[in-house]
Amino acid sequence: MNITVGDISVRLGRTIGDDEKPRVEAFIEDASALVRDHCGSGYAETPGIKAVICAEVIRWLAVAPGIVSERVGDIQVEFGSSATTQSLSPAARTSLKRYRRKLASISLIREAE
């Protein structure tokens, strides 16, 4: 899939600075790999998959490293030893369901000798 920093920038609504580009490129690579792993090797590269990958990258960009949770009212921030790991969100998994290979069974019948 040919997703670029520009694709993320357009969807994010702001310019991605030179200092941020390596991080965005790494996130694109990681999200693409997770989608490939989730869907299997037989999926076609579609606009729907591109949208899921871009959405996951933007979601990951919104997470500040080390922050576990924030609260706006009375300004509360909780720090942890590390932020959550990058993984596909439940919404992404639901969107990708149609691209996963379906399970099927094969009937085996033994011929009479």
Side-chain angles (χ1 to χ4, degrees):
M1 174 115 348
N2 192 17
I3 297 172
T4 65
V5 173
D7 293 324
I8 303 300
S9 178
V10 167
R11 287 165 176 81
L12 195 54
R14 67 172 175 83
T15 303
I16 305 286
D18 289 338
D19 59 328
E20 205 176 7
K21 281 183 183 177
R23 183 174 183 225
V24 172
E25 289 168 347
F27 281 172
I28 290 169
E29 187 177 327
D30 293 348
S32 298
L34 288 172
V35 168
R36 275 192 305 277
D37 288 348
H38 184 76
C39 293
S41 60
Y43 77 93
E45 297 176 357
T46 66
I49 288 179
K50 183 176 185 175
V52 168
I53 293 171
C54 289
E56 290 301 284
V57 170
I58 291 169
R59 183 176 68 85
W60 294 348
L61 288 170
V63 175
I67 295 179
V68 176
S69 68
E70 294 180 81
R71 189 170 85 189
V72 176
D74 295 326
I75 309 173
Q76 177 182 345
V77 177
E78 183 180 335
F79 294 95
S81 59
S82 66
T84 58
T85 59
Q86 277 87 17
S87 62
L88 294 177
S89 67
R93 290 177 184 274
T94 299
S95 296
L96 292 170
K97 251 185 206 177
R98 73 173 74 177
Y99 302 106
R100 293 190 75 176
R101 188 175 299 173
K102 307 290 186 260
L103 295 177
S105 62
I106 299 173
S107 297
L108 300 175
I109 301 172
R110 187 176 193 176
E111 292 184 21
E113 295 179 16

